[in-house]
Structures are given as C-alpha cells and as structure tokens.
Amino acid sequence: ISFNCVDSSLSSLKNCQSYINTGMDIATHVALDLVENFNDAEDVNSMENVMLEYAAMDRELNHYMKAIEETVNQIKREKPENIPDLKQLVKEKFAALESQNSDSDLQRNEKYVYFKDQLKEMKKQFCHQSDNDNEAIEQIDEDIAVTQSQVNFICPITQLEMKRPVRNKICGHSYEEDAILKFIQTRKQQKKKVRCPKIGCSHADVKGSDLVLDEALKRAIDSKNKQ
C-alpha cells in the first residue's frame, strides 16, 4: 500500500499547525500591548479566551495527526491482504483520543503557559492597577522608580542592562540571551552542568531548552529607556 497521499496530507496539516502557532504568538503580543497601555482587564481576558480557542484547535489537530500516524503504522505492521477502510480506522482512533480531553489539557499547552507567565510578569513590571485606586498607584509609581534603578534589568552574567532577556522556566530568573547561551556552550564543552548565575539561586542545571524570551521584561526595559 502506498501512503504518499497520506504523507502529503500530514504535511498540509503541519502547515495548519504553524498558522495556529502564529495566531497564538499574535494574541500574546496583543495581550501584552493591552497591559502595557493599561487597557481594560476585560480586553486582556478576551485575549486569554482566544488563546484557549487556539489551544483547543491545536489539540484537535494533534489528535487527528496522531490518529493518522497510528493507522498507517498499524497497517504497515499487520500487512493485511485487503486494504482496510482507512477513513473509518482514523475516525475511530481520533474519537478515542478526543474522548480523553479535559480543560486541563488546554491549560498545559506550551504557548498558553507562556502567555499566562508573561502576562503575570507584565502586570508586575507595569503594575497594572484599577483606575480608582489612585493612592495605590502613586505608591506603585514610587516603587517603579526604585525598582527600575535596581538589578531587575541587569544581566547577572554581563552585569549590563539586558537587550534581549530570556527567562528560565525552571527558576524564573532572566539573563542576556547571548551571554547565557555562551555560558551553557562553554560548560557543555567542559562536560559540566550550568548553575543559575543569579546569586542565591539553587538551580544547578540550566538548559537552553528551558529558556524563553522574556518579552515582559524587554518591554519594561524599553519603556524605561524611552522615558
């Protein structure tokens, strides 16, 4: 049995997945823009709903591709004399995967987790408060002035203000991207693990795969420099 047509279809589905990923990236940027410009919380929440919808589409697409791959592998393994009903087999496997769905699946989506993490950091950086809490806002403004002059924006490796900060998903600390990647590469050549360079951090195995762009921090640094 030739599976060239199936392989072509899978390739098209993977392209669709890249469009979903792009949509989730755009929704994240829009949400961060809304927080930075102190827009209504309802607008930010609407972006979270968009992210969950994208996560649901991503899960459905993953299940469908998995159902196709499992069907193909089954046929290759069993080598039946008569060609089975591929469509029905895929449908059954897809239904079995979908029956195990839960809301927690969506909240574990990697891009949704990043969205929530960056949103939380963004609110910290820009101290998003309700408009009627003027006294708190005044106090927060003073705190911002102090915080921005402290070590938040300084890379623990270069001791310079970060231009492209990346955040460690494990311990939550941020570093200049080039600096931490060079640090990891050097230690790898020495066959040694990388301890987080942030003073006081106990995380002793920093990996490149654990680093994500800290867009919230980058926006805060850019905002401070504009001022």
Side-chain angles (χ1 to χ4, degrees):
I1 303 172
S2 174
F3 293 104
N4 289 339
C5 185
V6 175
D7 291 339
S8 176
S9 297
L10 276 174
S11 179
S12 296
L13 289 174
K14 286 174 182 174
N15 283 336
C16 290
Q17 198 165 38
S18 71
Y19 299 144
I20 291 173
N21 288 335
T22 299
M24 295 182 90
D25 289 340
I26 292 171
T28 299
H29 292 320
V30 170
L32 297 183
D33 284 343
L34 291 171
V35 174
E36 186 173 353
N37 292 293
F38 298 94
N39 283 62
D40 192 85
E42 191 176 331
D43 294 334
V44 178
N45 290 339
S46 70
M47 285 298 102
E48 182 169 354
N49 291 332
V50 168
M51 288 295 288
L52 287 170
E53 288 176 13
Y54 273 126
M57 285 190 283
D58 186 60
R59 178 180 63 187
E60 184 176 353
L61 194 55
N62 277 327
H63 283 169
Y64 193 64
M65 288 192 292
K66 187 175 181 181
I68 293 172
E69 288 167 353
E70 286 183 356
T71 300
V72 169
N73 290 334
Q74 178 185 333
I75 293 170
K76 285 180 178 179
R77 186 172 60 251
E78 296 175 357
K79 297 178 180 177
E81 290 184 11
N82 298 318
I83 298 176
D85 187 340
L86 296 178
K87 189 174 180 180
Q88 184 59 32
L89 281 175
V90 169
K91 186 177 179 180
E92 289 170 2
K93 291 183 185 296
F94 175 71
L97 290 168
E98 286 284 290
S99 68
Q100 299 171 20
N101 286 350
S102 70
D103 290 341
S104 61
D105 296 339
L106 305 183
Q107 291 163 1
R108 287 195 298 268
N109 178 282
E110 187 176 348
K111 284 190 176 289
Y112 178 75
V113 170
Y114 177 77
F115 170 87
K116 291 290 287 183
D117 175 69
Q118 286 293 293
L119 208 56
K120 182 177 77 174
E121 291 302 312
M122 197 72 179
K123 288 175 181 178
K124 280 186 196 173
Q125 295 291 350
F126 288 87
C127 295
H128 189 54
Q129 298 290 320
S130 60
D131 292 334
N132 57 10
D133 197 357
N134 292 327
E135 186 178 339
I137 288 173
E138 287 176 10
Q139 181 60 46
I140 286 163
D141 286 341
E142 291 176 13
D143 291 342
I144 290 174
V146 175
T147 301
Q148 290 183 342
S149 65
Q150 294 175 344
V151 297
N152 290 26
F153 302 159
I154 303 300
C155 172
I157 303 170
T158 66
Q159 293 302 308
L160 299 171
E161 185 175 88
M162 290 177 274
K163 295 180 179 178
R164 185 175 169 81
V166 290
R167 190 160 177 266
N168 191 323
K169 292 187 289 185
I170 307 301
C171 65
H173 293 125
S174 295
Y175 334 94
E176 182 65 57
E177 183 179 40
D178 286 346
I180 188 64
L181 291 178
K182 285 177 183 175
F183 190 25
I184 291 171
Q185 184 61 32
T186 299
R187 299 294 280 179
K188 184 178 180 181
Q189 289 170 352
Q190 297 169 347
K191 297 183 178 178
K192 294 180 180 178
K193 291 182 178 180
V194 176
R195 176 176 287 278
C196 175
K198 187 75 172 179
I199 294 174
C201 182
S202 61
H203 182 47
D205 191 13
V206 179
K207 295 184 174 72
S209 57
D210 294 330
L211 304 175
V212 293
L213 179 63
D214 194 341
E215 188 167 346
L217 182 55
K218 185 179 188 305
R219 284 170 180 250
I221 293 170
D222 291 344
S223 176
K224 185 265 293 184
N225 289 335
K226 285 177 185 175
Q227 291 172 7

